[in-house]
Amino acid sequence: MGNTDYPGKILYGNYSDALKAHVEKHIDRLAAFDRTLIPVIPYLCAWQDPDNVMWYEFAGTRFCDLMGCPAAALADIFRKCIKERRVYDHLDDAGACGGLVAAVYKVQLPDGEVVWLKDQAVVTAFAQDRVHVSSGCLTIVTREMEAEEALENTRHMLREKARALNLARKIQEENAVRLAGAVKQVDAARKEAEKANKAKSEFLAVISHEIRNPMNGIVGTCDLIMAEDLSRQQAEYLEIFRSSALSLLGLINDILDFSKIEAGKLEFQEIPFDIRDVVEEVSDIFLEMITRKHLELVVDIDPQVPDQVIADPARLRQVLINLISNALKFTRQGEIVIRVEPVRRETGIMELGFRVTDTGIGISPEHFDYLFESFTQINNMETHEYGGTGLGLAICRQIVEMMNGTIGVDSYPGQGSTFYFKVPVRFKENSQADVVSGRALVAMENQSGRQSLARLLGSWGMGVTACRSASSAVDRFFEAGGSSPYSLVMMDMGLSDMGDPEISKGLTAMIQSVDLSIALTRMGKNGDTRRCRDLGFTRSMTRPVKQTILKQVVQHAFGRAGRPGAGPVTAQKAAPSFASARILLVEDNPVNRKIASKMLCMAGGVAVDTAQNGLEAIEKVQKNDYDAVLIDIQMPHLDGIEASRIIRRQFPKTRLPIIAMSAHAGADRWKACLEAGINDYILKPVSREVLLTVLNRQIGPGRKLPVPEPSPEALHPSICPAADPTALPGLDIRSGLERLGGGGATLCGHPERFL
């Protein structure tokens, strides 16, 4: 037997011959393996049931050397050194004859080294002896197992990354679902917002229409009455009534504009206009109210300001109205000065500065930061009595900024305020030719007005002497010793010392000695009118003086233009004649229908037919021949746009012009009109001047234009300046009344229907 050195427990124990023969046979074979160079570690072990006691019947030298112990201690030491066991094949409990076993052990040797051993053995069971015998070989596979562990670690890392990737993909899918839900919610919110904005726009359009219709009745009635032969006082009162109505319309427009600004739909235009006309028109609106409060109003437009600029006159007018309204509200005594001056100029571009200065209660500097915020008012006892919405300045700021300008304020409590804004405009240079040479004597108590007038006359080439009283004017005039060096005298009829008889005598002699004498009267002061007539003034003008009218007066008086003896020279435009023209007026509102009919009849030779809605209009157009159709947009049964679309199918634009009338000022409404085949557009309230202009453009001789752009006067009607009374010599207000139809119209009945 090859294992004589090993006192085997089985071989020398009380076991069956079969077991002993099996063990002896396998020990001989394993011992032979131990003596070869094959790198294996042969062994034979057994374990006893039921205590599972294990021992090695055979352990070769290599095994004992590896574990550093004798064969007798090998079972306990090897079992303790195993750190990890991986069994791949195992004994089938059902088979008593045994089976193959394959396993891998991670073993930490007594010296601390870790090795991997691969075990391949055959297990045989001996039921009689209740012993299992395992014979096999161990192979050192440390390098392979480390590689396998590294591979497994890599696989584990990849699995973790795959798990993380799957998790990320899952999160991404969840986020995509959430994002899609959020996008859907945002889209729904956007649609709701668009729906709300559309409802808001429609509401504003309805409000605008409902407000403008009665305002059209009020303003139109004023126009018709002003066409009659009126006394000076009646004309003044009527103009106050009209200006107030237009001011109310302006306030309503402010509210609507604020809503448009909030929705980003405020529209701007760029058209040529005279900046002096705009400023003077605005001053006319407030003139009666300022006079009633016994305040001075000064309009000071720098002579270097161009005559013609290109910008949005309606928006400039809107800002000025708001600022002047504020100045008037907070000023009890003193003056309000409107100044316009060039700030900076480049080729074709000028930055215009506007300043509205008052002598009112003033504003503390700590309030400046939020003064231009919406619905914000200064909260102190002095301002409570004045009321207001706190909306006007916010609208001003946003309009100015949308015009690429800036706005601000300088003020201090008790010292008045100056609100200013600057906007860029395009312009053309003024003519540098002098209006007239000579010397002028100006007498005016108000310093701001005196300086403004002296600067204006000086810019026309005149030498100017300015005085603050009648007595000083007389003294300066006669200093030359009877030979008058002055060709022009302008005198304020409100000077406190004019009642002195001696001074009056000197004034009469002075006035008789000059070529042109102009009395500066105050609105509503009949005493000024009588005084200027008694003193013999050749002309009279209402303060503040309008630069254009004054320039015409001076030109005419010194032979530069006009006819001798005429008032301020203004081009007399003959009212366009539409003799034999037949016009269909379509308007559902009876007041507006009556006023528009009257205006058309005053055009001279116009035959007017009326309809109350679109259906009636279509029926009448099919039965009658018309030169033009004047149609309201918003009507019951069938509105103006749909009616126009139906009419246009039968008649081309050049055959039958259609002119829309609407209280909606939006460009989208004009676009809808164009798409329906409408030729032109008039914004309510309708003035007779605008109406005749549009009619002349469409059916005047040789003036038929199929599809014009919306005219400035149609989309942005200007606020008509207050008419100076015709009773004052030197004022040619008849050209202003002429646009309202002269003196042949009669007053519409039932005035209570306009309230």
Side-chain angles (χ1 to χ4, degrees):
M1 181 170 26
N3 196 24
T4 55
D5 295 335
Y6 178 71
K9 181 179 179 179
I10 293 175
L11 293 178
Y12 300 103
N14 186 21
Y15 293 96
S16 66
D17 293 339
L19 175 57
K20 289 181 179 182
H22 177 80
V23 169
E24 185 174 7
K25 175 183 175 183
H26 281 279
I27 287 176
D28 288 341
R29 183 174 59 83
L30 294 173
F33 266 112
D34 194 37
R35 291 191 293 269
T36 66
L37 296 178
I38 300 174
V40 296
I41 302 173
Y43 74 91
L44 187 148
C45 67
W47 61 93
Q48 180 83 45
D49 288 333
D51 298 329
N52 200 25
V53 177
M54 179 184 172
W55 68 93
Y56 279 90
E57 285 289 321
F58 171 80
T61 305
R62 294 173 186 174
F63 200 179
C64 292
D65 291 344
L66 181 65
M67 299 307 301
C69 64
L74 189 60
D76 290 336
I77 292 176
F78 185 66
R79 181 176 293 180
K80 292 178 181 178
C81 289
I82 295 176
K83 302 302 179 183
E84 184 178 341
R85 185 193 307 266
R86 300 179 187 176
V87 179
Y88 301 104
D89 295 310
H90 58 86
L91 181 65
D92 186 359
D93 293 338
C97 295
L100 294 175
V101 172
V104 176
Y105 309 117
K106 184 177 183 180
V107 180
Q108 185 174 10
L109 302 179
D111 62 2
E113 183 184 358
V114 176
V115 296
W116 285 88
L117 299 176
K118 183 178 180 181
D119 183 14
Q120 290 179 305
V122 176
V123 178
T124 305
F126 293 88
Q128 179 182 348
D129 300 289
R130 293 190 297 177
V131 172
H132 288 79
V133 177
S134 174
S135 63
C137 294
L138 298 173
T139 307
I140 298 176
V141 291
T142 303
R143 201 175 282 177
E144 292 85 341
M145 291 303 297
E146 287 179 348
E148 185 178 333
E149 275 198 329
L151 180 60
E152 183 61 29
N153 289 337
T154 302
R155 288 173 179 170
H156 178 72
M157 180 182 67
L158 291 176
R159 283 194 297 270
E160 290 298 320
K161 288 186 176 180
R163 188 180 296 109
L165 183 61
N166 289 333
L167 180 61
R169 185 180 294 110
K170 183 178 180 181
I171 293 174
Q172 185 178 16
E173 290 173 354
E174 291 175 352
N175 288 340
V177 172
R178 281 195 289 266
L179 180 60
V183 170
K184 188 175 181 181
Q185 290 177 352
V186 170
D187 187 59
R190 178 184 58 80
K191 290 180 179 178
E192 286 296 321
E194 290 176 352
K195 184 178 179 182
N197 280 336
K198 183 179 179 182
K200 180 179 179 181
S201 298
E202 290 175 353
F203 172 75
L204 291 176
V206 171
I207 289 296
S208 174
H209 181 270
E210 294 303 317
I211 291 174
R212 285 180 180 272
N213 266 327
M215 292 301 295
N216 184 63
I218 295 171
V219 176
T221 303
C222 288
D223 287 351
L224 293 174
I225 298 174
M226 291 179 71
E228 298 287 351
D229 294 326
L230 305 173
S231 69
R232 173 186 176 224
Q233 191 174 43
Q234 287 173 328
E236 282 190 5
Y237 288 160
L238 199 57
E239 185 55 40
I240 293 170
F241 182 69
R242 187 178 188 277
S243 296
S244 299
L246 292 174
S247 296
L248 176 59
L249 185 62
L251 176 61
I252 295 166
N253 287 337
D254 276 350
I255 297 173
L256 297 177
D257 280 344
F258 181 76
S259 299
K260 291 179 182 178
I261 291 172
E262 291 275 297
K265 294 184 178 180
L266 189 66
E267 297 160 2
F268 288 81
Q269 62 174 348
E270 286 198 352
I271 60 172
F273 65 97
D274 192 326
I275 192 66
R276 289 170 174 80
D277 288 345
V278 170
V279 175
E280 289 169 354
E281 285 172 5
V282 172
S283 71
D284 281 338
I285 295 173
F286 295 93
L287 183 56
E288 189 275 334
M289 292 179 283
I290 289 175
T291 302
R292 194 190 311 149
K293 291 185 71 171
H294 305 290
L295 302 174
E296 287 285 343
L297 176 62
V298 177
V299 178
D300 183 7
I301 304 176
D302 192 292
Q304 296 301 315
V305 171
D307 291 333
Q308 287 285 319
V309 300
I310 299 176
D312 192 326
R315 299 305 172 197
L316 287 177
R317 183 185 296 111
Q318 188 174 1
V319 174
L320 285 172
I321 287 174
N322 270 303
L323 297 184
I324 298 171
S325 178
N326 267 359
L328 178 61
K329 185 191 301 184
F330 295 106
T331 304
R332 293 193 182 99
Q333 59 183 3
E335 64 181 11
I336 296 174
V337 181
I338 308 169
R339 286 193 173 91
V340 185
E341 57 191 356
V343 177
R344 178 177 53 85
R345 70 169 63 204
E346 299 173 358
T347 304
I349 300 292
M350 174 180 289
E351 187 176 54
L352 279 182
F354 297 79
R355 305 174 71 87
V356 177
T357 302
D358 62 64
T359 54
I361 62 176
I363 305 167
S364 181
E366 62 261 23
H367 298 306
F368 290 176
D369 290 340
Y370 58 85
L371 194 60
F372 294 93
E373 298 297 325
S374 303
F375 304 107
T376 300
Q377 290 183 299
I378 299 172
N379 187 22
N380 61 44
M381 295 303 295
E382 288 186 310
T383 59
H384 280 319
E385 63 179 285
Y386 299 103
T389 63
L391 200 57
L393 291 179
I395 294 175
C396 289
R397 176 181 62 82
Q398 296 189 66
I399 289 177
V400 169
E401 290 177 353
M402 293 172 79
M403 296 178 72
N404 298 317
T406 57
I407 189 169
V409 60
D410 290 325
S411 184
Y412 198 78
Q415 299 181 13
S417 303
T418 297
F419 283 87
Y420 59 87
F421 67 96
K422 296 178 286 186
V423 292
V425 298
R426 289 185 287 155
F427 76 102
K428 293 183 179 180
E429 295 286 352
N430 292 343
S431 172
Q432 298 299 318
D434 291 342
V435 174
V436 68
S437 59
R439 296 190 64 188
L441 178 63
V442 176
M444 184 179 294
E445 188 172 356
N446 180 270
Q447 182 179 358
S448 300
R450 186 171 67 247
Q451 292 174 346
S452 173
L453 196 53
R455 183 164 53 250
L456 177 64
L457 294 172
S459 71
W460 294 345
M462 303 190 76
V464 182
T465 300
C467 307
R468 69 182 308 272
S469 66
S471 59
S472 60
V474 172
D475 293 341
R476 297 293 295 274
F477 186 86
F478 290 106
E479 280 179 355
S483 176
S484 173
Y486 297 100
S487 54
L488 169 64
V489 169
M490 298 184 68
M491 182 162 293
D492 181 8
M493 290 293 97
L495 294 174
S496 58
D497 59 349
M498 290 190 70
D500 187 289
E502 291 298 322
I503 295 176
S504 296
K505 187 183 299 183
L507 289 174
T508 302
M510 178 179 68
I511 290 168
Q512 292 173 352
S513 304
V514 295
D515 297 324
L516 176 62
S517 57
I518 300 176
L520 304 178
T521 63
R522 296 163 294 176
M523 181 181 182
K525 298 291 184 179
N526 294 329
D528 288 357
T529 305
R530 289 192 299 269
R531 185 177 296 169
C532 82
R533 185 169 54 247
D534 293 342
L535 292 173
F537 280 91
T538 55
R539 305 280 179 179
S540 66
M541 301 182 71
T542 302
R543 291 179 3 216
V545 174
K546 290 179 171 59
Q547 290 188 7
T548 304
I549 295 178
L550 178 59
K551 187 175 182 179
Q552 291 172 344
V553 169
V554 173
Q555 284 178 328
H556 170 64
F558 295 101
R560 296 300 179 94
R563 296 176 288 109
V569 181
T570 54
Q572 298 295 322
K573 298 180 182 179
S577 176
F578 307 101
S580 303
R582 188 177 184 186
I583 295 175
L584 175 62
L585 172 64
V586 188
E587 169 66 72
D588 64 308
N589 186 286
V591 173
N592 292 340
R593 188 167 62 247
K594 192 168 187 177
I595 291 174
S597 297
K598 202 69 177 178
M599 287 183 177
L600 289 171
C601 291
M602 292 163 63
V606 175
V608 182
D609 198 1
T610 62
Q612 298 185 24
N613 56 60
L615 295 176
E616 288 186 21
I618 294 171
E619 183 179 351
K620 290 197 173 186
V621 166
Q622 292 173 344
K623 292 180 179 179
N624 304 289
D625 291 329
Y626 296 105
D627 295 286
V629 175
L630 194 64
I631 189 167
D632 185 24
I633 293 299
Q634 188 165 332
M635 296 182 295
H637 305 304
L638 187 67
D639 64 32
I641 291 180
E642 287 301 320
S644 299
R645 188 175 285 113
I646 295 172
I647 292 172
R648 192 53 73 211
R649 294 171 188 167
Q650 183 176 355
F651 299 98
K653 287 186 175 183
T654 53
R655 166 66 180 83
L656 180 63
I658 301 176
I659 302 167
M661 299 182 298
S662 176
H664 301 286
D668 54 342
R669 184 53 60 99
W670 169 244
K671 182 179 178 182
C673 290
L674 282 178
E675 292 173 352
I678 292 173
N679 296 64
D680 221 320
Y681 191 94
I682 300 176
L683 183 64
K684 294 179 179 180
V686 179
S687 72
R688 184 173 180 273
E689 183 181 30
V690 172
L691 178 60
L692 295 183
T693 299
V694 174
L695 284 176
N696 191 48
R697 180 162 57 225
Q698 295 300 329
I699 62 175
R703 296 297 298 278
K704 295 184 178 180
L705 302 177
V707 189
E709 291 297 319
S711 59
E713 65 268 19
L715 292 182
H716 294 273
S718 62
I719 298 175
C720 181
D724 292 323
T726 57
L728 293 177
L731 290 183
D732 186 14
I733 195 59
R734 299 196 182 281
S735 61
L737 291 177
E738 179 188 358
R739 73 179 184 86
L740 300 175
T746 58
L747 173 62
C748 293
H750 308 292
E752 69 276 1
R753 297 172 68 181
F754 301 119
L755 298 179

